[in-house]
Amino acid sequence: MSVRVLLVAAHDDARAGLAERLSRSSEVELVGAVCGASEARSFTDPRPHLILLDLHEDDDSERELCRELRSMFPSPLVVLTSFMTREHWSELQAAGVSNYLLRHVNTRRLAEELSRLAALDSGTNPLADREQPKSRGGREGNDERSASSGAA
């Protein structure tokens, strides 16, 4: 069973590129790729297991978007970003973000992390009983980080 992901990205090129990357993975079923909260409202069947939000700015409007998405979906909200500071991470957590990944994570690792993060949400996610992806014995370089490994 694959993890159902709703991709939210304001920039057309970023949304298209991420959608293409995610569609290459058998672990991810992309249920939609939308520009913002108003378009996301229509994705209730099937309900996504996880919302992936591509962040480009650290501003109040993006934190408000996080709050809107969290109010619409019980699913975990994961942000994809170029950088993360402790202060930014604290603000995003307060806005309902469950975790983050750095943008330059490779496609295979991105799919594995999305699947793992969706499975952590046992209260709303049928994937919770699914076996976790196995580590291959080390990191693939320093090209990814999640909140569980600490903010920069």
Side-chain angles (χ1 to χ4, degrees):
M1 182 175 179
S2 59
V3 59
R4 291 189 306 263
V5 174
L6 175 61
L7 172 63
V8 180
H11 300 285
D12 292 340
D13 290 340
R15 189 170 51 256
L18 281 167
E20 191 275 325
R21 286 176 63 191
L22 292 171
S23 69
R24 286 188 259 154
S25 171
S26 61
E27 291 187 58
V28 174
E29 176 190 346
L30 189 63
V31 298
V34 300
C35 182
S38 61
E39 291 180 27
R41 289 184 207 290
S42 64
F43 289 92
T44 57
D45 188 33
R47 181 167 295 284
H49 295 136
L50 184 138
I51 311 302
L52 179 63
L53 173 61
D54 185 35
L55 288 183
H56 285 275
E57 303 293 328
D58 175 17
D59 63 23
D60 290 338
S61 66
E62 292 207 331
R63 286 185 289 281
E64 182 56 34
L65 175 58
C66 292
R67 286 182 196 93
E68 283 184 70
L69 291 169
R70 285 300 294 150
S71 72
M72 288 188 273
F73 299 99
S75 312
L77 175 59
V78 177
V79 296
L80 194 61
T81 185
S82 295
F83 70 96
M84 187 63 68
T85 64
R86 285 187 177 109
E87 180 181 355
H88 189 207
W89 176 231
S90 292
E91 292 169 351
L92 289 173
Q93 284 179 301
V97 174
S98 304
N99 215 315
Y100 72 90
L101 297 168
L102 295 181
R103 185 170 284 119
H104 54 273
V105 64
N106 70 49
T107 301
R108 183 183 60 79
R109 184 71 174 153
L110 175 62
E112 287 174 354
E113 282 297 302
L114 294 176
S115 182
R116 183 185 70 79
L117 293 169
L120 291 175
D121 186 39
S122 60
T124 60
N125 193 340
L127 294 181
D129 296 330
R130 181 177 150 186
E131 184 177 327
Q132 298 288 325
K134 301 289 186 227
S135 170
R136 297 197 186 268
R139 297 174 69 101
E140 301 173 37
N142 285 332
D143 67 344
E144 68 269 345
R145 184 183 337 172
S146 70
S148 59
S149 63

